[in-house]
Amino acid sequence: MGKWNRFTNKGIVALITAFMVVSSVGTVSSYAAEVNAEVPQVIEKASPSVVAIIGKPTSDADKAWEKNRYNLAHGTGVIVESNGVIVTNAHVVKDMKNIAVVTSDGKTYNGRATNIDEESDLALVKIDAAGLTPAKIAASSSDIKVGETVAAIGTPISFALRNSVTVGIVSGIDRSVNSQYQLIQTDAAINPGNSGGALINMKGEVIGINTMKYADFGVENLGFAIPVDTLKYVLKHFQLYGKVKRPYLGLELEESWEAVVGLPSSTGLRVAYVDPDSPAAKAGLKQDDLLVSIGSSKLKTTVDFNEALKKYLPNETVSLTIQSGSSEVSKSITLGEAHSQETQWTQNSDDDSLDADRGKTKIGDSHYGWSMKYPAGLVKNHQSDDGDVVSFVDAKGEFSLSIRVDNQQSDELSPSALLSKLASDDEDEYDYDYDYSGAPSTILERQYVKREGSPYAKVVGRSGDDGYVQTRGYLHKGSLYTLHLFVNKEHYNNDFKQNSYNDLLDSFQPVFDGKDPSLKDISVYSSGNTTFKNEYGLSFDLPANWEQGGYTSGSSFFSDDYSQMVRVNVTSASSGDTLKAWVDRQRKQFEAVYVPKYRSVKEPEELTLAGVPALKVAYSSSLGSKWMEGYSLFFIKDKYKYEVEFTYPQETDGDEVKELLDTLASSIKVDKDNMDKELGFIQDLDELLDPNRTITYKNEKYKYSLQIPESWSSSKSYSYDNKDQSSKTFFFTGGYLIVQADPKATYESLVKDEDAAQKKSHDSDNEYTFTDSEVNLFDDVKAKQYVVNYESDEVPYKETIYIFRKNNISYTVILRIDEAVQTAANEARLNKAFESMKFLDGGKK
């Protein structure tokens, strides 16, 4: 009975389904046929307006890679004027040089970016052409309907796939994924390279410019396009002003929790920050006000805010509705103009060809003095910072080649010794990042080739089960040039290919002819300066041999011998703060650390940095041995305070200091567009610093507590037992306080040991002096006190040691302060910290 019921149920469902299909098949088939017939006609009509864009990307991180002929970037564009005006995404062409545009009929034109607007991610490219077919732009974004059929035309994945078409529907409108403005969502496939292409409806009209694909595990068919209203807004501003003129209020706004997670929001936008002297500040807007509307536009999200501002121009007056506390008020405000970076276009300095190596048939390094043939398929893979190791790969993946230069070799190395060295080279000497394949596992050939001018040693062998490696070694003028060619097994046994590999190796010469125009120089050796940048938009130049510190969050830079340092500190400028007030605070804090004998601070010197007023302060300090000198450069720009500090030993050559300081100061720049977009308010901790504020340290195991200055740092003694707290050290500049607790040692034994240690130190060095006495501590505690005055490594200091016993625990407390920081305030804080010591009895003080 059960089986019959299941069969019958399935049969009924099948019958009902079949009936529904028969009933609607005419409609479905008719619609599908209509769409299928429509799409080719629409694409045929729209394709002539879509172009492919290719160019050479720039890279601040690796200029050598920028020059690689195979390092190209591509995207898509849409013709908007018949004389060669093309719209695309800003991210496609912002960092692209030597732009080439290919039209749908296969013609290639040189292009140049004329206008770029990163806020909307739109840009214009111009080519010298006439009679092109401009795209038909839809009338309004309001006509776009969810569910309507659309097609995306672009250049996905590879430039060889230009003018590819994908079809889908409009999945949603009014989206705002990673955008300042609303976007169209579509399930038509949008892939890398589609950026800047057309999203068209079945009338052949452009309803959007494809901009991004949401890529994540398990996510499919989630692409986005810039809608036509934003496109028209930007194109109009480009035409009228050459840029997008955006209104400026001077507000940082924060969305409600509901808006952030995508729920309908019932509140406006919270004012998180108001720029001083901005239109918003002048209108009386304050932090924590709620911005409810601009004109007639209600605001729930920052996208609402940006969309509303598109209706206005700078210097226009608008009405804002503000909720301040429990009341709503209207404010009239005259809009300012937001900063907009001007488009700056620079072509490649060599030529305007896409091929960075056009005309180059040889490659080499002018600093290390070598050269060889440069076949078109040879691609530089990596190069060491000093340029002494470089690796290449074949564009088709057939082989890899590495060249290493060792300047510490002797020309007296015999052929036998050289062959032996090549056959047994230690793999650990090489960095696998450079594709070194190691010494061969089985040697197939070994010989010394007496070639005129540049003889070489040659070893050929199997490299595991993967392929073969040929190693050659050339000795020339004190340098050993080692070449490693690794070839896959399948290609090595091809005689024709093997001849081409040998031809490449045979072309190697330990010489570089700088007058040969066909020779490409890949030398990265530089004795000049390197530009360093950080996430706060700051950049500056330092000598090429300087390195960025690895343990200071990227804020410190060091000379090659670590004797000189540049430290960068960036914090937010609090409302009402001034450059002079800030520098005065910093000087007072510095002076409070050292006694006058051990410090010097000069009056601030006015200068200009990054286009704004700045102050330069020279100072020096010492703990008694070596003096360190330095300069601090202070300036405030775009709501942030920048301090660039340069320190060096006092004995450093004055001309060297002046040259480096001049280079640093003249090269300092701040580019707001290079700031991390997620930067917020960064509190200057020095503004909140109270050197006398204390916190409680409590040691339950050894039954004591202390009030320690909050600005001090602390450390436990080294111990295999992380829970051991028998010794605790608290540090400050030029001194420390140590508490050692020992429940096993007696008071008498500790005193006896310390007496012996002090006398031994004095007997060893007459300059070491101490006094000892018995004192009472904490009202009723007998203690032994030692006061030491000594100069260790030219650093004079005072050390006071107390030994006492309380609650069956013996304590040794050491107070040390260097003479250089022995100000009344510092010494008082140290003594007060010790005097705050209280003892716990059963968990109670």
Side-chain angles (χ1 to χ4, degrees):
M1 180 69 73
K3 289 182 179 180
W4 186 89
N5 283 337
R6 285 197 292 272
F7 174 80
T8 304
N9 290 340
K10 289 181 181 178
I12 292 173
V13 171
L15 288 173
I16 293 174
T17 303
F19 174 77
M20 291 174 66
V21 170
V22 171
S23 300
S24 61
V25 68
T27 304
V28 173
S29 299
S30 174
Y31 174 75
E34 182 181 343
V35 170
N36 288 334
E38 221 174 19
V39 171
Q41 298 174 12
V42 170
I43 299 304
E44 184 179 4
K45 180 180 178 181
S47 285
S49 303
V50 181
V51 300
I53 298 173
I54 191 169
K56 290 160 54 178
T58 61
S59 170
D60 291 327
D62 190 347
K63 289 294 183 183
W65 176 241
E66 177 187 330
K67 297 177 182 178
N68 189 310
R69 62 171 60 178
Y70 287 96
N71 181 33
L72 299 172
H74 68 274
T76 311
V78 178
I79 299 170
V80 291
E81 292 184 23
S82 61
N83 63 347
V85 178
I86 297 162
V87 67
T88 185
N89 284 148
H91 75 259
V92 170
V93 295
K94 176 179 180 288
D95 296 316
M96 184 183 284
K97 293 183 179 181
N98 299 36
I99 294 174
V101 174
V102 180
T103 55
S104 61
D105 58 2
K107 293 181 180 178
T108 302
Y109 300 86
N110 290 333
R112 62 187 185 278
T114 58
N115 307 83
I116 294 176
D117 182 62
E118 293 185 71
E119 307 290 332
S120 63
D121 195 25
L122 290 171
L124 291 183
V125 171
K126 182 69 173 68
I127 61 175
D128 295 328
L132 300 178
T133 304
K136 185 178 180 182
I137 308 296
S140 172
S141 298
S142 61
D143 297 330
I144 302 171
K145 306 298 180 187
V146 174
E148 71 172 293
T149 301
V150 291
I153 309 177
T155 311
I157 310 300
S158 166
F159 200 70
L161 301 179
R162 58 187 181 273
N163 281 64
S164 294
V165 178
T166 56
V167 178
I169 62 169
V170 173
S171 306
I173 54 178
D174 297 343
R175 304 304 198 216
S176 59
V177 179
N178 296 330
S179 174
Q180 289 205 23
Y181 299 117
Q182 293 172 347
L183 297 174
I184 302 168
Q185 180 187 335
T186 178
D187 69 347
I190 306 292
N191 290 299
N194 273 113
S195 294
L199 186 69
I200 60 174
N201 60 21
M202 290 301 100
K203 298 178 184 178
E205 300 171 329
V206 175
I207 65 169
I209 299 297
N210 302 321
T211 184
M212 70 175 81
K213 174 187 178 180
Y214 188 89
D216 203 350
F217 181 75
V219 175
E220 299 288 344
N221 303 331
L222 193 57
F224 297 92
I226 300 165
V228 65
D229 281 0
T230 301
L231 172 62
K232 288 185 172 182
Y233 163 72
V234 172
L235 290 179
K236 180 180 178 180
H237 278 243
F238 279 165
Q239 182 180 24
L240 293 176
Y241 317 114
K243 64 177 183 179
V244 179
K245 296 184 71 171
R246 287 187 173 82
Y248 163 71
L249 280 172
L251 294 175
E252 286 187 10
L253 300 171
E254 186 178 89
E255 295 177 337
S256 67
W257 175 83
E258 290 87 355
V260 171
V261 300
L263 291 170
S265 176
S266 58
T267 62
L269 296 167
R270 188 182 77 87
V271 176
Y273 179 80
V274 182
D275 283 341
D277 299 324
S278 66
K282 293 175 183 177
L285 273 73
K286 303 183 298 297
Q287 187 176 351
D288 292 327
D289 284 347
L290 289 178
L291 182 56
V292 177
S293 63
I294 297 179
S296 60
S297 302
K298 296 291 184 182
L299 306 179
K300 305 295 184 184
T301 67
T302 53
V303 170
D304 292 342
F305 174 76
N306 293 324
E307 288 286 346
L309 285 184
K310 281 163 55 177
K311 302 174 184 178
Y312 304 100
L313 286 170
N315 300 318
E316 290 186 352
T317 300
V318 298
S319 175
L320 304 183
T321 302
I322 305 295
Q323 182 178 326
S324 186
S326 59
S327 59
E328 275 195 3
V329 294
S330 293
K331 292 182 180 290
S332 182
I333 185 170
T334 300
L335 299 168
E337 183 171 355
H339 166 76
S340 177
Q341 185 181 23
E342 297 295 328
T343 301
Q344 295 182 346
W345 177 252
T346 55
Q347 282 282 27
N348 183 275
S349 58
D350 298 327
D351 55 52
D352 60 0
S353 170
L354 274 179
D355 184 1
D357 302 333
R358 187 174 63 176
K360 303 295 184 182
T361 58
K362 303 174 188 176
I363 195 169
D365 190 302
S366 58
H367 177 71
Y368 289 102
W370 61 264
S371 59
M372 66 180 184
K373 284 184 177 180
Y374 187 26
L378 192 68
V379 181
K380 189 176 74 169
N381 181 41
H382 208 293
Q383 193 167 9
S384 64
D385 291 339
D386 294 332
D388 58 336
V389 180
V390 61
S391 67
F392 300 90
V393 293
D394 174 55
K396 296 179 181 179
E398 295 180 359
F399 67 87
S400 64
L401 171 67
S402 69
I403 300 174
R404 179 184 178 92
V405 185
D406 184 353
N407 290 329
Q408 306 301 316
Q409 291 296 325
S410 170
D411 287 341
E412 298 177 358
L413 202 64
S414 68
S416 174
L418 181 57
L419 283 167
S420 178
K421 180 176 177 61
L422 294 184
S424 60
D425 253 334
D426 185 356
E427 297 181 23
D428 291 338
E429 293 183 4
Y430 296 87
D431 189 332
Y432 285 102
D433 286 343
Y434 305 125
D435 294 331
Y436 173 60
S437 54
S441 56
T442 302
I443 293 178
L444 303 175
E445 181 182 349
R446 180 173 61 198
Q447 63 173 312
Y448 188 78
V449 180
K450 296 181 180 180
R451 187 174 67 173
E452 184 178 354
S454 54
Y456 60 89
K458 173 183 176 182
V459 176
V460 180
R462 294 192 186 95
S463 178
D465 297 327
D466 299 327
Y468 296 80
V469 60
Q470 180 176 156
T471 303
R472 293 189 181 188
Y474 299 78
L475 277 173
H476 184 71
K477 294 183 178 180
S479 294
L480 172 61
Y481 300 83
T482 306
L483 281 65
H484 296 279
L485 176 74
F486 174 80
V487 182
N488 292 324
K489 183 184 296 185
E490 58 183 301
H491 298 116
Y492 182 82
N493 294 320
N494 183 312
D495 291 339
F496 175 79
K497 290 184 179 297
Q498 193 172 129
N499 287 335
S500 68
Y501 304 147
N502 286 326
D503 180 60
L504 175 61
L505 293 176
D506 289 342
S507 72
F508 182 86
Q509 295 285 342
V511 293
F512 185 95
D513 182 3
K515 297 180 180 179
D516 187 349
S518 67
L519 178 53
K520 175 182 173 69
D521 187 4
I522 62 170
S523 175
V524 294
Y525 181 84
S526 173
S527 59
N529 296 322
T530 299
T531 299
F532 292 93
K533 297 183 178 181
N534 71 5
E535 60 270 31
Y536 305 104
L538 178 69
S539 65
F540 51 84
D541 292 345
L542 289 172
N545 61 349
W546 279 55
E547 295 182 358
Q548 188 166 337
Y551 303 100
T552 52
S553 302
S555 63
S556 296
F557 307 85
F558 299 91
S559 59
D560 54 357
D561 61 357
Y562 290 91
S563 65
Q564 302 173 31
M565 179 183 76
V566 168
R567 183 182 64 85
V568 176
N569 186 37
V570 183
T571 55
S572 292
S574 299
S575 181
D577 201 7
T578 65
L579 178 62
K580 184 180 182 304
W582 174 33
V583 173
D584 285 345
R585 289 196 305 272
Q586 297 300 104
R587 291 185 66 199
K588 289 177 181 177
Q589 287 180 15
F590 174 75
E591 290 173 343
V593 174
Y594 300 91
V595 299
K597 178 182 175 182
Y598 291 91
R599 60 161 164 84
S600 171
V601 188
K602 294 185 179 180
E603 287 297 315
E605 178 183 335
E606 294 182 357
L607 70 162
T608 300
L609 296 174
V612 297
L615 290 175
K616 178 174 71 174
V617 179
Y619 60 91
S620 59
S621 64
S622 174
L623 290 176
S625 54
K626 295 184 178 180
W627 278 78
M628 293 296 294
E629 296 187 348
Y631 290 89
S632 279
L633 307 174
F634 300 89
F635 63 96
I636 301 176
K637 186 168 185 177
D638 294 329
K639 300 187 302 181
Y640 289 98
K641 301 189 302 187
Y642 295 85
E643 179 186 2
V644 182
E645 179 185 9
F646 168 41
T647 57
Y648 53 91
Q650 188 181 55
E651 61 271 17
T652 306
D653 179 74
D655 291 337
E656 179 184 347
V657 170
K658 184 179 184 303
E659 182 180 355
L660 192 145
L661 186 63
D662 288 346
T663 297
L664 181 63
S666 63
S667 64
I668 286 177
K669 295 181 178 63
V670 174
D671 187 348
K672 190 173 182 179
D673 294 322
N674 288 335
M675 287 184 175
D676 190 316
K677 303 303 181 185
E678 297 181 355
L679 281 178
F681 187 84
I682 304 169
Q683 179 69 59
D684 183 353
L685 299 182
D686 288 340
E687 293 180 11
L688 306 178
L689 179 66
D690 179 358
N692 295 313
R693 180 181 175 84
T694 62
I695 56 174
T696 302
Y697 168 75
K698 186 182 293 186
N699 192 318
E700 299 281 0
K701 184 174 182 179
Y702 294 101
K703 300 180 181 180
Y704 70 91
S705 69
L706 290 167
Q707 294 299 122
I708 298 297
E710 194 175 48
S711 58
W712 290 10
S713 59
S714 64
S715 172
K716 288 187 294 188
S717 62
Y718 294 104
S719 170
Y720 292 108
D721 180 4
N722 290 329
K723 295 182 180 180
D724 179 27
Q725 300 175 25
S726 62
S727 181
K728 185 74 175 180
T729 305
F730 303 93
F731 299 96
F732 59 93
T733 301
Y736 52 75
L737 184 152
I738 301 176
V739 179
Q740 297 172 342
D742 190 342
K744 297 180 180 179
T746 65
Y747 168 78
E748 290 75 16
S749 65
L750 290 178
V751 169
K752 181 180 178 181
D753 291 343
E754 189 63 34
D755 282 341
Q758 292 294 333
K759 289 176 182 178
K760 182 178 181 181
S761 296
H762 174 70
D763 292 342
S764 299
D765 187 350
N766 290 331
E767 297 294 324
Y768 185 95
T769 63
F770 74 96
T771 61
D772 61 328
S773 60
E774 292 187 354
V775 296
N776 284 324
L777 300 174
F778 318 114
D779 296 331
D780 61 345
V781 179
K782 182 181 73 171
K784 186 70 175 286
Q785 179 192 63
Y786 303 85
V787 179
V788 177
N789 288 281
Y790 187 56
E791 184 176 298
S792 175
D793 296 327
E794 300 181 28
V795 178
Y797 68 90
K798 175 185 175 182
E799 186 172 84
T800 305
I801 303 171
Y802 295 97
I803 299 174
F804 57 93
R805 189 169 179 84
K806 179 75 173 178
N807 293 342
N808 297 318
I809 298 175
S810 295
Y811 297 94
T812 301
V813 181
I814 306 171
L815 287 67
R816 169 167 168 159
I817 186 166
D818 293 343
E819 182 181 280
V821 300
Q822 200 172 348
T823 66
N826 285 338
E827 195 162 23
R829 274 190 288 272
L830 177 58
N831 291 329
K832 189 176 179 180
F834 171 58
E835 291 164 4
S836 72
M837 192 170 188
K838 297 186 184 302
F839 301 95
L840 313 180
D841 185 9
K844 297 179 181 179
K845 290 186 180 181

